[in-house]
């Protein structure tokens, strides 16, 4: 039963492809959100005691049915959520091929072409960020959290060369790093996971546009140094999760150079702005960063997860992750290429980069430029329509995310009011928006994450919001 007969396989593949095609074609006409019924879901799973084998087609149909019924459909054009895209056609094909061929990207010699495809992408994408092609290095990761964790480890190795061997106990002064109050909380987890502790993370206040206050950063570094601490890293955010804010990267690079500390740019979402000429200045100075996080599973619209860590220090990943073993293949030494297991946090891992490679191969940089430009235009339209309808947009970013409150209702800035509006829209199944907080204030949040979102979808969201004003 592990390898079905040829006729069964053919029938299964046909059913699978038909199910995927139906989803791609019909998703825009379905509910965006599921009805949350835990008892119903568990009841559907009860017959699966795994004592008696199920018919392959019946098992496949079951999964297709329950995924239709019980999932927030992030590929839906009216999902205005957390950077989960509608995947490109070629990326779906790529993940299917990866599942079938099952390349193992631990040792270079086991999957040399897969490894070289990823290294080719690292160089190509690194060049888009303005890195020198001769110095670029990087690795694919499970997502932005892993890439950000990698940046923390490389910054520690860069500033404290004994760290990889002797750990935090070798560091005489307490290391500290800096991030804005709008930065991603993956760094909080990373400080815990690498043994620094969350007290090592300094949150720097933001200005009225929610960008890191550079003068406040300078004061914090000076204060920490006077207290005998060891500043070693600044994290600039390029596309904050809640607000879409981009920190002043160029000025932060000046500070990092002056203080001789590592600058990392968390551009997991906003990094795709470099693909559009009129948006490139939003990320001015990103080429001066020591490292960058970029998630292809956000604005490049490939399936989860496809994070990417990039750096202009060609040897730092080797210094941070180098591992010698007797049992791993060693053919890579003959070609002077790194084995992925000694070049990243992961050991065994799947071929993450193929979905990016095939999508780029078919769409090209020009295709992605047009897709990012379209989504940005839909974000601009959303902001105009919200303001016209009396919903005040409170964030200031050229990226397509709107944070807003209701100016026409007395309680329109109240958290309970806004939470009710978001909840009723989500429960209706006709769209997905969320409640968040920026600068301590509750706001509704809607983000364009889908290259298929149209003006009609924007107007449909405005209509849903209007119906819930009371």
């Amino acid at each position: 039963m592990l390898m079905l007969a040829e006729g069964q396989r053919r029938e299964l593949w046909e059913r699978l492809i038909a199910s995927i095609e139906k989803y791609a074609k019909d998703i825009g006409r379905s509910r965006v959100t599921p009805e949350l019924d835990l008892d119903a879901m568990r009841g559907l799973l009860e017959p699966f005691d795994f004592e008696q084998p199920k018919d392959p087609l019946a098992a496949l149909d079951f999964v297709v049915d329950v995924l239709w019924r019980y999932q927030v459909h992030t590929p839906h054009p009216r999902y205005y959520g957390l950077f989960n895209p509608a995947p490109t056609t070629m990326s779906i094909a790529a993940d299917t091929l990866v599942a079938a061929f099952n390349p193992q990207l631990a040792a270079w010699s086991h999957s040399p072409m897969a490894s070289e495809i990823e290294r080719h992408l690292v160089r190509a994408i690194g060049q888009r960020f303005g890195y020198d092609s001769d110095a670029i290095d990087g690795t694919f990761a499970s997502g932005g959290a892993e890439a950000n964790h990698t940046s923390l480890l490389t910054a520690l190795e860069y500033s404290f060369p004994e760290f990889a061997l002797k750990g935090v106990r070798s560091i005489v002064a307490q290391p500290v790093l800096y991030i804005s109050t709008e930065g991603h909380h993956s760094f909080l987890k990373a400080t815990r996971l690498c043994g620094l502790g969350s007290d090592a993370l300094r949150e720097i206040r933001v200005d009225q546009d929610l960008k890191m206050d550079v003068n406040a950063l300078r004061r914090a570094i000076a204060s920490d140094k006077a207290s005998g601490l060891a500043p070693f890293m600044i994290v600039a955010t390029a596309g904050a999760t809640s607000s879409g804010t981009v920190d002043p990267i160029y000025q932060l690079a000046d500070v990092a150079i002056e203080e001789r500390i590592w600058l990392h740019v968390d551009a997991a979402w906003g990094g795709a702005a470099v693909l559009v000429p009129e948006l490139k200045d939003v990320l001015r100075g990103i080429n001066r960063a020591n490292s960058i996080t970029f998630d292809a599973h956000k604005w490049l619209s490939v399936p989860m997860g496809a994070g990417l860590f990039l750096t202009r220090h060609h040897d730092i990943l080797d210094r941070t992750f180098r591992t010698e073993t007797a049992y791993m293949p060693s053919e890579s030494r003959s070609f002077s290429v790194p084995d992925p297991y000694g070049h990243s946090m992961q050991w065994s891992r799947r071929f993450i980069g193929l979905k990016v490679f095939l999508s780029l191969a078919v769409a090209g940089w020009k295709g992605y430029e047009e897709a990012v430009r379209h989504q940005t235009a839909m974000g601009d339209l959303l902001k105009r329509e919200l303001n016209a309808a009396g919903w005040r947009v409170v964030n200031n970013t050229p990226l397509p995310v709107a944070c807003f409150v209701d100016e026409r209702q007395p309680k329109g800035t109240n958290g309970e009011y806004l939470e009710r509006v978001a909840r009723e829209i989500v429960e209706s199944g006709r769209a997905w928006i969320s409640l968040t907080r920026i600068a301590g204030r509750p706001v509704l949040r809607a983000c364009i994450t889908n290259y298929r979102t149209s003006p009609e979808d924007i107007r449909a969201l405005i209509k849903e919001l209007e119906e819930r004003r009371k």
Side-chain angles (χ1 to χ4, degrees), residues 421-442:
V421 171
R423 184 181 65 252
E424 289 183 2
I425 288 177
V426 170
E427 288 176 350
S428 76
R430 290 191 281 272
W432 195 98
I433 63 171
S434 61
L435 184 75
T436 189
R437 302 183 76 86
I438 58 172
R441 298 170 296 176

Side-chain angles (χ1 to χ4, degrees), residues 70-278:
Y70 297 109
Q71 176 180 314
V72 173
H73 293 293
T74 56
H76 198 293
R78 294 177 189 175
Y79 170 77
Y80 298 99
L82 299 171
F83 314 129
N84 301 300
T88 67
T89 302
M90 294 308 297
S91 66
I92 296 170
D95 260 5
T96 304
L97 287 172
V98 169
F101 280 80
N102 200 25
Q104 162 59 285
L105 265 71
W108 178 89
S109 61
H110 267 41
S111 297
M113 194 59 191
S115 296
E116 288 304 304
I117 285 173
E118 290 199 346
R119 289 181 62 79
H120 182 75
L121 287 167
V122 163
R123 289 191 293 270
I125 296 172
Q127 287 174 11
R128 288 279 152 173
F129 283 106
Y131 278 171
D132 184 337
S133 59
D134 293 331
I136 298 168
D137 199 7
T139 181
F140 276 87
S142 58
E146 183 188 330
N148 284 339
H149 192 168
T150 299
S151 76
L152 182 55
L153 293 170
T154 54
L156 283 166
E157 173 61 27
Y158 178 81
S159 299
F160 311 105
E162 296 266 306
F163 173 74
L165 180 64
K166 297 182 178 179
V168 291
R169 71 183 186 277
S170 67
I171 305 173
V172 176
Q174 168 69 48
V176 289
L177 64 151
Y178 306 88
I179 192 170
S180 87
T181 54
E182 291 291 301
H184 199 273
H185 287 79
S186 58
F187 281 97
L188 182 67
K189 292 176 70 173
T191 57
R192 295 171 179 169
L193 290 169
C194 71
L196 291 181
S198 54
D199 281 351
L201 187 67
R202 301 285 193 264
E203 290 193 345
I204 305 301
R205 75 183 189 189
V206 295
D207 62 19
Q208 63 183 8
D209 290 325
L210 305 177
K211 300 180 179 184
M212 187 189 291
D213 185 319
V214 178
N215 290 328
L217 171 66
R218 290 183 183 276
R219 289 193 295 270
I221 292 174
S223 175
D224 283 337
K225 291 171 73 173
S227 299
L229 304 180
F232 75 99
M233 183 181 192
I234 299 167
V235 178
T237 302
T241 302
S242 288
S243 63
T245 300
V246 178
D247 285 332
I249 299 170
Y250 197 92
Q251 291 91 330
L252 295 178
D254 285 341
V255 177
I257 291 168
E258 292 165 14
E259 298 291 344
R260 298 183 179 180
I261 59 181
W262 188 275
L263 173 64
H264 177 71
V265 179
D266 181 4
W269 175 53
V274 298
L275 304 181
V276 182
E278 60 266 31

Side-chain angles (χ1 to χ4, degrees), residues 256-327:
I257 291 168
E258 292 165 14
E259 298 291 344
R260 298 183 179 180
I261 59 181
W262 188 275
L263 173 64
H264 177 71
V265 179
D266 181 4
W269 175 53
V274 298
L275 304 181
V276 182
E278 60 266 31
L279 290 177
K280 284 186 72 171
D281 278 352
V282 174
L283 301 180
R284 179 174 174 266
I286 197 167
N287 61 307
R288 304 173 76 198
N290 299 86
S291 59
I292 300 167
T293 285
F294 179 60
D295 279 352
H297 64 248
K298 291 187 169 73
W299 230 347
L300 293 195
S301 300
V302 304
M304 299 288 288
L308 190 59
F309 170 84
L310 298 166
T311 180
R312 58 181 174 84
H313 298 269
H314 66 89
D315 64 337
I316 194 67
L317 286 170
D318 182 65
R319 285 164 47 190
T320 304
F321 297 111
R322 184 192 306 118
T323 307
E324 299 294 336
T325 73
Y327 52 82

